[in-house]
Amino acid sequence: VLPSRCACCDVPGRPLCDDCRDRLIRIAPPVCDRCGCPGAWPVRRCVECKGRRLGFRRARAAIVYDARARKVVSSWKERGRRDLAGVLALLVAEVVARPTVDAVTFVPGDRERTRERSHVPAERLARELAELWDVPDARFLRRVGSAPRQARLPRAKRRANVRGAFAAVAR
């Protein structure tokens, strides 16, 4: 009934207008091979992730998480803008090369947050990316408990906060 508006500037039209999409700062190589942090030259492990135990092998972001990106992500995650999943997947696919993987997956949200949002943003993004990259999407994790929100926790407490909150999906 209501016209779609840009999640960033509120101009009527597409979920993310061309101007706002163009102003999102892409993270281009060289980047850390492990955590994706941009740097002056490519490295296997940068200052940010060297010596840290991380729960992943590799990570890669597509854009700088500045005020503009925060507004778009907040609209998508907290304001129910499901129409942004495809737009954001296209942006990721533009910046991040198709990975050599067997499947694309996601970390599931907790039940309370899913009820509040009425969708799981990470799952929707994973499905959109899987389709763009022509890779199957799969659910490998399930929530086995609830954990306090990560948003305001310091980095040191985030890992402890989710310890035991996930289990592998039986196949």
Side-chain angles (χ1 to χ4, degrees), residues 32 34-35 37-39 41 43-52 54 155:
C32 172
R34 186 176 187 207
C35 74
C37 186
W41 52 84
V43 293
R44 287 189 55 210
R45 292 203 167 128
C46 68
V47 174
E48 287 294 317
C49 69
K50 186 183 271 186
R52 289 180 50 206
L54 300 175
R155 184 178 5 196

PDB file of all heavy atoms in Angstrom, residues 32 34-35 37-39 41 43-52 54 155:
ATOM      1  N   CYS A  32      43.286  -8.764   5.017  1.00  0.00           N
ATOM      2  CA  CYS A  32      43.799  -9.900   5.780  1.00  0.00           C
ATOM      3  C   CYS A  32      43.093 -11.164   5.284  1.00  0.00           C
ATOM      4  O   CYS A  32      41.865 -11.186   5.158  1.00  0.00           O
ATOM      5  CB  CYS A  32      43.533  -9.684   7.272  1.00  0.00           C
ATOM      6  SG  CYS A  32      43.914 -11.129   8.311  1.00  0.00           S
ATOM      7  N   ARG A  34      42.584 -13.857   6.796  1.00  0.00           N
ATOM      8  CA  ARG A  34      41.803 -14.521   7.844  1.00  0.00           C
ATOM      9  C   ARG A  34      40.547 -13.747   8.231  1.00  0.00           C
ATOM     10  O   ARG A  34      39.450 -14.270   8.223  1.00  0.00           O
ATOM     11  CB  ARG A  34      42.667 -14.735   9.080  1.00  0.00           C
ATOM     12  CG  ARG A  34      41.975 -15.543  10.147  1.00  0.00           C
ATOM     13  CD  ARG A  34      42.923 -15.789  11.290  1.00  0.00           C
ATOM     14  NE  ARG A  34      42.366 -16.693  12.280  1.00  0.00           N
ATOM     15  CZ  ARG A  34      42.715 -16.676  13.534  1.00  0.00           C
ATOM     16  NH1 ARG A  34      43.626 -15.826  13.966  1.00  0.00           N
ATOM     17  NH2 ARG A  34      42.182 -17.512  14.386  1.00  0.00           N
ATOM     18  N   CYS A  35      40.705 -12.465   8.589  1.00  0.00           N
ATOM     19  CA  CYS A  35      39.555 -11.726   9.116  1.00  0.00           C
ATOM     20  C   CYS A  35      38.973 -10.713   8.131  1.00  0.00           C
ATOM     21  O   CYS A  35      37.922 -10.131   8.390  1.00  0.00           O
ATOM     22  CB  CYS A  35      39.909 -11.039  10.428  1.00  0.00           C
ATOM     23  SG  CYS A  35      40.969  -9.589  10.258  1.00  0.00           S
ATOM     24  N   CYS A  37      40.164  -7.784   7.328  1.00  0.00           N
ATOM     25  CA  CYS A  37      40.473  -6.397   7.672  1.00  0.00           C
ATOM     26  C   CYS A  37      41.347  -5.770   6.576  1.00  0.00           C
ATOM     27  O   CYS A  37      42.337  -6.368   6.159  1.00  0.00           O
ATOM     28  CB  CYS A  37      41.204  -6.364   9.013  1.00  0.00           C
ATOM     29  SG  CYS A  37      41.498  -4.714   9.632  1.00  0.00           S
ATOM     30  N   PRO A  38      40.960  -4.580   6.072  1.00  0.00           N
ATOM     31  CA  PRO A  38      41.770  -3.953   5.022  1.00  0.00           C
ATOM     32  C   PRO A  38      43.125  -3.515   5.560  1.00  0.00           C
ATOM     33  O   PRO A  38      43.267  -3.198   6.742  1.00  0.00           O
ATOM     34  CB  PRO A  38      40.938  -2.744   4.592  1.00  0.00           C
ATOM     35  CG  PRO A  38      39.876  -2.577   5.598  1.00  0.00           C
ATOM     36  CD  PRO A  38      39.791  -3.813   6.433  1.00  0.00           C
ATOM     37  N   GLY A  39      44.111  -3.527   4.692  1.00  0.00           N
ATOM     38  CA  GLY A  39      45.454  -3.120   5.089  1.00  0.00           C
ATOM     39  C   GLY A  39      46.229  -2.598   3.903  1.00  0.00           C
ATOM     40  O   GLY A  39      45.720  -2.511   2.784  1.00  0.00           O
ATOM     41  N   TRP A  41      48.851  -4.056   2.567  1.00  0.00           N
ATOM     42  CA  TRP A  41      49.245  -5.184   1.713  1.00  0.00           C
ATOM     43  C   TRP A  41      48.553  -6.444   2.217  1.00  0.00           C
ATOM     44  O   TRP A  41      48.102  -6.504   3.357  1.00  0.00           O
ATOM     45  CB  TRP A  41      50.763  -5.372   1.694  1.00  0.00           C
ATOM     46  CG  TRP A  41      51.362  -5.459   3.054  1.00  0.00           C
ATOM     47  CD1 TRP A  41      51.462  -6.552   3.848  1.00  0.00           C
ATOM     48  CD2 TRP A  41      51.927  -4.392   3.810  1.00  0.00           C
ATOM     49  NE1 TRP A  41      52.046  -6.247   5.052  1.00  0.00           N
ATOM     50  CE2 TRP A  41      52.349  -4.924   5.048  1.00  0.00           C
ATOM     51  CE3 TRP A  41      52.123  -3.034   3.558  1.00  0.00           C
ATOM     52  CZ2 TRP A  41      52.940  -4.143   6.030  1.00  0.00           C
ATOM     53  CZ3 TRP A  41      52.721  -2.282   4.559  1.00  0.00           C
ATOM     54  CH2 TRP A  41      53.124  -2.833   5.758  1.00  0.00           C
ATOM     55  N   VAL A  43      47.983  -9.924   3.883  1.00  0.00           N
ATOM     56  CA  VAL A  43      48.665 -10.697   4.925  1.00  0.00           C
ATOM     57  C   VAL A  43      47.809 -11.912   5.276  1.00  0.00           C
ATOM     58  O   VAL A  43      46.601 -11.905   5.074  1.00  0.00           O
ATOM     59  CB  VAL A  43      48.921  -9.854   6.201  1.00  0.00           C
ATOM     60  CG1 VAL A  43      49.912  -8.744   5.941  1.00  0.00           C
ATOM     61  CG2 VAL A  43      47.629  -9.296   6.763  1.00  0.00           C
ATOM     62  N   ARG A  44      48.457 -12.948   5.821  1.00  0.00           N
ATOM     63  CA  ARG A  44      47.695 -14.126   6.256  1.00  0.00           C
ATOM     64  C   ARG A  44      46.945 -13.841   7.546  1.00  0.00           C
ATOM     65  O   ARG A  44      45.825 -14.283   7.742  1.00  0.00           O
ATOM     66  CB  ARG A  44      48.629 -15.320   6.442  1.00  0.00           C
ATOM     67  CG  ARG A  44      49.090 -15.861   5.088  1.00  0.00           C
ATOM     68  CD  ARG A  44      49.828 -17.147   5.183  1.00  0.00           C
ATOM     69  NE  ARG A  44      49.030 -18.124   5.890  1.00  0.00           N
ATOM     70  CZ  ARG A  44      49.537 -19.101   6.608  1.00  0.00           C
ATOM     71  NH1 ARG A  44      50.846 -19.240   6.715  1.00  0.00           N
ATOM     72  NH2 ARG A  44      48.765 -19.959   7.218  1.00  0.00           N
ATOM     73  N   ARG A  45      47.605 -13.107   8.473  1.00  0.00           N
ATOM     74  CA  ARG A  45      46.977 -12.712   9.735  1.00  0.00           C
ATOM     75  C   ARG A  45      47.453 -11.305  10.066  1.00  0.00           C
ATOM     76  O   ARG A  45      48.629 -11.037  10.139  1.00  0.00           O
ATOM     77  CB  ARG A  45      47.368 -13.665  10.858  1.00  0.00           C
ATOM     78  CG  ARG A  45      46.764 -15.026  10.638  1.00  0.00           C
ATOM     79  CD  ARG A  45      46.659 -15.775  11.932  1.00  0.00           C
ATOM     80  NE  ARG A  45      45.802 -16.916  11.730  1.00  0.00           N
ATOM     81  CZ  ARG A  45      46.118 -18.138  12.052  1.00  0.00           C
ATOM     82  NH1 ARG A  45      47.279 -18.393  12.613  1.00  0.00           N
ATOM     83  NH2 ARG A  45      45.274 -19.114  11.843  1.00  0.00           N
ATOM     84  N   CYS A  46      46.486 -10.433  10.321  1.00  0.00           N
ATOM     85  CA  CYS A  46      46.817  -9.034  10.602  1.00  0.00           C
ATOM     86  C   CYS A  46      46.956  -8.803  12.108  1.00  0.00           C
ATOM     87  O   CYS A  46      46.760  -9.712  12.914  1.00  0.00           O
ATOM     88  CB  CYS A  46      45.735  -8.121  10.031  1.00  0.00           C
ATOM     89  SG  CYS A  46      44.139  -8.269  10.875  1.00  0.00           S
ATOM     90  N   VAL A  47      47.238  -7.582  12.467  1.00  0.00           N
ATOM     91  CA  VAL A  47      47.373  -7.202  13.872  1.00  0.00           C
ATOM     92  C   VAL A  47      46.069  -7.465  14.636  1.00  0.00           C
ATOM     93  O   VAL A  47      46.088  -7.864  15.793  1.00  0.00           O
ATOM     94  CB  VAL A  47      47.770  -5.705  13.983  1.00  0.00           C
ATOM     95  CG1 VAL A  47      47.778  -5.243  15.419  1.00  0.00           C
ATOM     96  CG2 VAL A  47      49.115  -5.472  13.332  1.00  0.00           C
ATOM     97  N   GLU A  48      44.915  -7.259  13.965  1.00  0.00           N
ATOM     98  CA  GLU A  48      43.606  -7.456  14.614  1.00  0.00           C
ATOM     99  C   GLU A  48      43.362  -8.911  15.011  1.00  0.00           C
ATOM    100  O   GLU A  48      42.746  -9.179  16.028  1.00  0.00           O
ATOM    101  CB  GLU A  48      42.480  -7.001  13.682  1.00  0.00           C
ATOM    102  CG  GLU A  48      42.374  -5.524  13.526  1.00  0.00           C
ATOM    103  CD  GLU A  48      41.971  -4.828  14.814  1.00  0.00           C
ATOM    104  OE1 GLU A  48      41.063  -5.315  15.516  1.00  0.00           O
ATOM    105  OE2 GLU A  48      42.580  -3.801  15.120  1.00  0.00           O
ATOM    106  N   CYS A  49      43.783  -9.869  14.191  1.00  0.00           N
ATOM    107  CA  CYS A  49      43.429 -11.265  14.478  1.00  0.00           C
ATOM    108  C   CYS A  49      44.621 -12.137  14.851  1.00  0.00           C
ATOM    109  O   CYS A  49      44.431 -13.259  15.322  1.00  0.00           O
ATOM    110  CB  CYS A  49      42.657 -11.879  13.303  1.00  0.00           C
ATOM    111  SG  CYS A  49      43.604 -12.134  11.801  1.00  0.00           S
ATOM    112  N   LYS A  50      45.840 -11.663  14.674  1.00  0.00           N
ATOM    113  CA  LYS A  50      47.025 -12.464  15.018  1.00  0.00           C
ATOM    114  C   LYS A  50      47.025 -12.786  16.513  1.00  0.00           C
ATOM    115  O   LYS A  50      46.784 -11.929  17.344  1.00  0.00           O
ATOM    116  CB  LYS A  50      48.298 -11.705  14.668  1.00  0.00           C
ATOM    117  CG  LYS A  50      49.563 -12.535  14.854  1.00  0.00           C
ATOM    118  CD  LYS A  50      50.788 -11.718  14.573  1.00  0.00           C
ATOM    119  CE  LYS A  50      51.070 -11.861  13.096  1.00  0.00           C
ATOM    120  NZ  LYS A  50      52.327 -11.230  12.710  1.00  0.00           N
ATOM    121  N   GLY A  51      47.227 -14.039  16.830  1.00  0.00           N
ATOM    122  CA  GLY A  51      47.301 -14.452  18.230  1.00  0.00           C
ATOM    123  C   GLY A  51      45.947 -14.635  18.897  1.00  0.00           C
ATOM    124  O   GLY A  51      45.878 -15.036  20.054  1.00  0.00           O
ATOM    125  N   ARG A  52      44.861 -14.357  18.198  1.00  0.00           N
ATOM    126  CA  ARG A  52      43.517 -14.524  18.774  1.00  0.00           C
ATOM    127  C   ARG A  52      42.910 -15.832  18.297  1.00  0.00           C
ATOM    128  O   ARG A  52      43.076 -16.218  17.146  1.00  0.00           O
ATOM    129  CB  ARG A  52      42.596 -13.379  18.336  1.00  0.00           C
ATOM    130  CG  ARG A  52      42.956 -12.087  18.987  1.00  0.00           C
ATOM    131  CD  ARG A  52      42.062 -10.955  18.567  1.00  0.00           C
ATOM    132  NE  ARG A  52      40.652 -11.278  18.669  1.00  0.00           N
ATOM    133  CZ  ARG A  52      39.714 -10.701  17.936  1.00  0.00           C
ATOM    134  NH1 ARG A  52      40.033  -9.810  17.049  1.00  0.00           N
ATOM    135  NH2 ARG A  52      38.458 -11.020  18.094  1.00  0.00           N
ATOM    136  N   LEU A  54      39.855 -17.473  17.016  1.00  0.00           N
ATOM    137  CA  LEU A  54      38.611 -17.059  16.402  1.00  0.00           C
ATOM    138  C   LEU A  54      37.778 -18.291  16.062  1.00  0.00           C
ATOM    139  O   LEU A  54      38.316 -19.348  15.787  1.00  0.00           O
ATOM    140  CB  LEU A  54      38.885 -16.245  15.127  1.00  0.00           C
ATOM    141  CG  LEU A  54      39.693 -14.961  15.338  1.00  0.00           C
ATOM    142  CD1 LEU A  54      40.009 -14.315  14.001  1.00  0.00           C
ATOM    143  CD2 LEU A  54      38.941 -13.990  16.222  1.00  0.00           C
ATOM    144  N   ARG A 155      34.171  -7.028  23.271  1.00  0.00           N
ATOM    145  CA  ARG A 155      34.632  -8.176  22.503  1.00  0.00           C
ATOM    146  C   ARG A 155      35.012  -9.360  23.399  1.00  0.00           C
ATOM    147  O   ARG A 155      34.700 -10.502  23.087  1.00  0.00           O
ATOM    148  CB  ARG A 155      35.828  -7.775  21.639  1.00  0.00           C
ATOM    149  CG  ARG A 155      36.276  -8.890  20.753  1.00  0.00           C
ATOM    150  CD  ARG A 155      37.412  -8.604  19.820  1.00  0.00           C
ATOM    151  NE  ARG A 155      38.051  -7.326  19.914  1.00  0.00           N
ATOM    152  CZ  ARG A 155      38.841  -6.830  18.986  1.00  0.00           C
ATOM    153  NH1 ARG A 155      39.065  -7.507  17.902  1.00  0.00           N
ATOM    154  NH2 ARG A 155      39.411  -5.665  19.141  1.00  0.00           N
TER     155      ARG A 155
END
